[in-house]
Amino acid sequence: MADKIKDAKIIFVVGGPGSGKGTQCEKVVAKYGYTHLSSGDLLRAEVASGSERGKTLQAIMQKGELVPLDTVLDMIKDAMIAKVDVSKGFLIDGYPREVKQGEEFEKKIGAPCLLLYIDAKGETMVKRLMKRGETSGRADDNEETIKKRLDLYYKATEPVIAFYSSRGIVRKIDSELPVDEVFGHVAKAIDGLK
Ligand SMILES: Nc1ncnc2c1ncn2[C@H]1C[C@H](O)[C@@H](COP(=O)(O)OP(=O)(O)O)O1
Ligand SMILES: [Mg+2]
């Protein structure tokens, strides 16, 4: 099983909260038959299940902090194994948040062939999240937590981008554009994969 995952295409999708990662991943799934795994969605599903682990996670996420590395990674790996036979590849959305997470992912699962850096301005992300908060029901889509998530994002993500840039696999995507135009650039990056 683990070997099969190694043969699959793995794309990291990185960007701030509200930058449009989920929106673009959905479109990639529809066009390319990839499996979309959002670390945030996996964690929220665990919270919704009401398990003990879910309760601990909820407390961390409500504060806008990062969940322990091994927890996220185990959840991603389990989800990948479940889908490996029916996927053209995997979109790992919202991960890695830190360089260390990326290194652990490669040790336990495999190496990414592409990192899509979904880039929007801070003010744009806040606006989109406030709007999403009206309907998302997400405990972290409120103004105070949004600010914390953005601060943490900027601190933690810049080193991640630098790390993978040095490998030449980062494609920066301007996510200020309308959704379909953003997707045009995303599709170009994926079509460029061998
Ligand atoms: N290019 C774009 N232009 C306008 N709105 C966008 C956009 N991409 C996403 N949105 C909207 C959809 C959501 O309500 C909100 C956040 O998008 P999302 O895909 O949930 O972000 P993320 O998964 O990165 O947190 O912004
Ligand atoms: Mg998302």
Side-chain angles (χ1 to χ4, degrees):
M1 261 315 174
D3 282 352
K4 267 196 197 164
I5 291 183
K6 267 195 190 144
D7 295 336
K9 284 203 173 72
I10 296 172
I11 299 178
F12 285 165
V13 184
V14 173
S19 60
K21 300 180 298 295
T23 303
Q24 294 303 320
C25 284
E26 246 177 63
K27 296 176 88 64
V28 173
V29 169
K31 178 163 183 189
Y32 295 94
Y34 276 49
T35 292
H36 173 208
L37 296 173
S38 156
S39 55
D41 288 347
L42 290 172
L43 292 165
R44 282 185 288 277
E46 184 78 33
V47 170
S49 78
S51 68
E52 274 312 307
R53 181 157 81 170
K55 282 178 197 155
T56 312
L57 290 173
Q58 184 171 32
I60 297 172
M61 289 161 74
Q62 218 151 30
K63 287 188 270 180
E65 292 170 2
L66 291 180
V67 166
L69 196 145
D70 286 342
T71 310
V72 188
L73 207 51
D74 286 346
M75 293 174 71
I76 293 176
K77 189 172 184 183
D78 289 348
M80 287 177 82
I81 287 172
K83 289 281 185 177
V84 74
D85 285 326
V86 294
S87 299
K88 293 265 182 349
F90 292 96
L91 296 160
I92 311 297
D93 165 2
Y95 191 97
R97 297 290 176 97
E98 300 169 309
V99 172
K100 187 153 188 353
Q101 289 188 348
E103 289 173 335
E104 286 301 308
F105 184 101
E106 293 194 31
K107 260 190 238 157
K108 285 196 186 171
I109 301 173
C113 55
L114 175 68
L115 186 152
L116 291 172
Y117 174 22
I118 310 296
D119 186 44
K121 286 187 281 198
E123 58 185 287
T124 304
M125 295 193 270
V126 173
K127 252 187 244 158
R128 289 179 186 169
L129 288 174
M130 292 299 288
K131 186 133 193 293
R132 187 174 77 181
E134 290 168 12
T135 53
S136 71
R138 279 179 51 166
D140 57 356
D141 280 348
N142 65 76
E143 198 162 6
E144 200 195 322
T145 308
I146 288 170
K147 285 215 182 87
K148 266 203 194 156
R149 287 156 69 204
L150 276 180
D151 280 349
L152 180 59
Y153 164 69
Y154 285 117
K155 265 190 228 123
T157 305
E158 274 165 23
V160 170
I161 302 298
F163 180 78
Y164 289 101
S165 290
S166 69
R167 280 201 209 163
I169 65 165
V170 173
R171 295 291 172 274
K172 186 171 177 175
I173 308 288
D174 179 3
S175 190
E176 292 286 330
L177 301 168
V179 170
D180 287 333
E181 285 179 43
V182 177
F183 184 62
H185 294 289
V186 167
K188 232 186 260 166
I190 294 178
D191 290 337
L193 292 173
K194 271 171 236 115

